[in-house]
Amino acid sequence: MNTSQRRIAHLDMDAFYASVELLRYPELRGLPVVIGGRPEHMPTLQADGSKHFFRLREYSGRGVITTATYEARAAGVFSAMSVMKAAQLAPDAILLPVDFDSYRHYSRLFKAAVAGIASHIEDSGIDEIYIDLSHLPDDTLVLAQRIKQAVRDATGLSCSIGIAPNKLLSKICSDLEKPDGLTVLEMSDIPARIWPLSVRKINGIGPKAAQKLALLGITTIAELAQADLSFLQIHFGRSYSAWLYEVSRGIDQRPVITDAKPKSISRETTFERDLHPRQDRLMLSEAFTTLCTQVAEDLTHKGYVGRTISIKLRFEDFRTITRDFTLTTHTADPAVIRRAAGECLRRVSLRKKLRLLGVKASALSPIHSMHDAAISPQRELPLIS
C-alpha cells in the first residue's frame, strides 16, 4: 500500500491520569490538579462531609509529577517535573496520589471500545494507541468521531486523535488540538502545518539532540528539512542523520504492529530521601520486595514469564549501575524474582546511600507457551533481606 492510501490514527487520552481522578472527584473540574503525591495525600473526609484536598505547598520531598490537568499546565506544571518545583509555580494546585490500578482499568476500557470499531491496533502505552484505518470503508472523519464517542461512552473521558499517512505524522497531529482534538493531515499539508513546529515535536528527537540542533541553527522542522544530509552526517552520524532527513519530510514507513511482544517489564522507585544500605536496611528490603512483587503481578497480568532478572541502582552521587541474573527457566513467581534480584545485588558494593531502586524482567515468553519447570534454588540477599 503506498503512502497516499494509508490512514494511520494516533489516539492519545487527554491528561489521562488526571482525567481519571476527575471522574472520582468531579468537584475538582476546572481547577489546577497535579498527580504525583504519596498515599498520605489521599483526600480525607471531614466532619461536615466535605473533602480535604492537599495542596502542592504542603508537599515536601523529591517526587515527580506524573501528569497534571490543563489548568495546572497553564501555570507551567508538566509531567516529569519535580513536585517541589511545581509547588513553586502553582502552590495552591490540588495534589493527588497516583492510582495505577485505576488507570490500567480505564486503559483497558478505552482500548476495548476502539477495538470494537477498528481491530488493527498497536498498543503504544497505557494512554495511547495507533490504529490502522486503511482497510476500513468508512469516511475518515466519520470513523474518528465514532471512535471518540465510543471512548467517551466507555470511560467518560475525552481523547485526541491525529490521522495521517504514517505513525510519525499522526502522533504529531494528535497533540495539535488538545484536548478533545481531531486533526487530519495529508502529505501536502506538511509545509504549512508541520514545518513551522519545533523539532522537539518529532518523537525521537530528545532534549540533547534538540540542543545540538539548536547550536547548529536548527530549531524548527522546516529548518531541519532544509539541512543537507551531508551536513547532518558531520554532526550526528550516518544512521541518525538519515532518520532526521526523512522524518523532517514526513517520511515514515513503520507498520502498525498488532502483536508486538514487550521486551521487558520493570518497576522502579525513587526514595523521598537517600537510604543507607545498612541503617535503612528494613526500608530498602520492603521496597525491594514490593518492586519484585509488582513485576511479578505485571508479568501475570500481561500473560508473560521472564528469564532474566535485572536490578537498577542509583546512588546519592547519581551514579547508576545495573546487574542481571539469568534463571534456568522462565518465571512469574515473586519469590523467585526476589531471589534472582538478590543475586544481582550480591555483585554490588553497597557503600553509598541509594536514591533509586529498580527491578526488571526480560527475555520474556508468553506464559501459555511455557511448561512448568522447577526453579533452581537461589541464595538469600546479603544486605536487603
Side-chain angles (χ1 to χ4, degrees):
M1 179 174 293
N2 61 45
T3 299
S4 63
Q5 293 175 308
R6 296 182 78 202
R7 289 187 300 169
I8 309 301
H10 180 258
L11 184 154
D12 191 15
M13 300 299 290
D14 296 325
F16 184 51
Y17 297 170
S19 298
V20 170
E21 295 297 343
L22 293 181
L23 291 178
R24 186 173 6 215
Y25 307 113
E27 63 267 41
L28 298 181
R29 292 189 183 279
L31 298 177
V33 178
V34 169
I35 313 300
R38 300 184 293 269
E40 58 263 35
H41 296 115
M42 183 71 69
T44 56
L45 191 63
Q46 301 185 111
D48 62 359
S50 64
K51 298 185 185 74
H52 167 71
F53 294 97
F54 287 88
R55 306 281 176 166
L56 273 181
R57 64 171 178 269
E58 300 176 75
Y59 182 89
S60 62
R62 62 183 185 205
V64 296
I65 302 297
T66 302
T67 192
T69 61
Y70 291 100
E71 291 81 5
R73 296 181 189 188
V77 177
F78 295 96
S79 60
M81 176 184 289
S82 73
V83 181
M84 293 300 288
K85 182 177 180 181
Q88 296 174 357
L89 297 172
D92 292 323
I94 303 295
L95 177 64
L96 294 174
V98 294
D99 182 359
F100 286 110
D101 287 340
S102 183
Y103 309 149
R104 283 190 283 266
H105 169 71
Y106 279 93
S107 177
R108 291 191 292 269
L109 287 180
F110 94 75
K111 290 171 185 176
V114 175
I117 299 173
S119 60
H120 202 157
I121 295 171
E122 178 179 327
D123 195 333
S124 187
I126 193 170
D127 62 348
E128 60 177 321
I129 55 176
Y130 289 99
I131 318 162
D132 194 338
L133 306 174
S134 305
H135 298 286
L136 297 178
D138 309 68
D139 175 77
T140 299
L141 286 175
V142 171
L143 268 175
Q145 292 292 359
R146 282 179 58 201
I147 290 172
K148 285 170 66 68
Q149 189 60 50
V151 169
R152 189 179 294 277
D153 291 344
T155 65
L157 303 172
S158 69
C159 65
S160 294
I161 297 179
I163 302 177
N166 57 52
K167 292 164 70 173
L168 166 78
L169 294 173
S170 66
K171 185 171 178 64
I172 294 175
C173 288
S174 67
D175 193 48
L176 293 182
E177 299 180 24
K178 275 186 166 288
D180 201 18
L182 173 55
T183 303
V184 179
L185 182 112
E186 302 292 343
M187 295 299 288
S188 58
D189 298 321
I190 290 176
R193 304 185 67 181
I194 300 299
W195 281 355
L197 302 175
S198 165
V199 292
R200 289 285 280 119
K201 290 292 185 180
I202 296 177
N203 187 35
I205 297 182
K208 291 184 178 179
Q211 183 179 23
K212 190 172 182 179
L213 285 168
L215 292 174
L216 299 174
I218 299 173
T219 59
T220 68
I221 300 176
E223 291 167 341
L224 181 59
Q226 292 166 1
D228 290 335
L229 179 58
S230 57
F231 172 78
L232 294 174
Q233 288 176 342
I234 294 172
H235 300 280
F236 292 97
R238 185 178 299 274
S239 177
Y240 192 65
S241 294
W243 179 80
L244 288 173
Y245 185 84
E246 289 192 345
V247 296
S248 67
R249 290 160 173 76
I251 300 172
D252 178 22
Q253 303 297 337
R254 293 174 299 160
V256 172
I257 302 173
T258 59
D259 57 351
K261 171 186 171 183
K263 295 181 180 180
S264 64
I265 291 175
S266 63
R267 289 289 190 117
E268 63 181 43
T269 184
T270 299
F271 304 117
E272 291 298 321
R273 61 177 178 86
D274 297 336
L275 298 182
H276 192 280
R278 293 191 182 276
Q279 297 172 5
D280 299 305
R281 178 176 177 174
L282 180 59
M283 191 177 300
L284 281 169
S285 176
E286 291 176 350
F288 199 52
T289 299
T290 297
L291 289 171
C292 292
T293 301
Q294 289 173 336
V295 168
E297 291 174 347
D298 291 344
L299 284 167
T300 301
H301 175 72
K302 296 181 179 181
Y304 285 93
V305 284
R307 190 178 177 196
T308 299
I309 308 302
S310 309
I311 65 169
K312 175 181 176 182
L313 303 175
R314 181 166 296 146
F315 296 98
E316 57 186 328
D317 58 0
F318 287 89
R319 184 172 67 95
T320 303
I321 64 170
T322 60
R323 296 290 186 272
D324 59 70
F325 182 88
T326 299
L327 297 161
T328 57
T329 188
H330 291 74
T331 187
D333 186 320
V336 175
I337 293 173
R338 177 68 158 73
R339 290 196 293 270
E343 291 297 326
C344 298
L345 192 65
R346 191 181 293 276
R347 305 202 305 271
V348 179
S349 177
L350 295 174
R351 295 190 177 91
K352 295 182 178 180
K353 292 182 179 180
L354 291 163
R355 65 179 288 117
L356 179 146
L357 181 62
V359 176
K360 179 175 71 174
S362 56
L364 305 183
S365 181
I367 195 167
H368 59 73
S369 68
M370 305 300 297
H371 298 288
D372 292 335
I375 303 296
S376 58
Q378 306 297 327
R379 293 170 291 176
E380 296 300 321
L381 296 172
L383 289 175
I384 302 176
S385 59

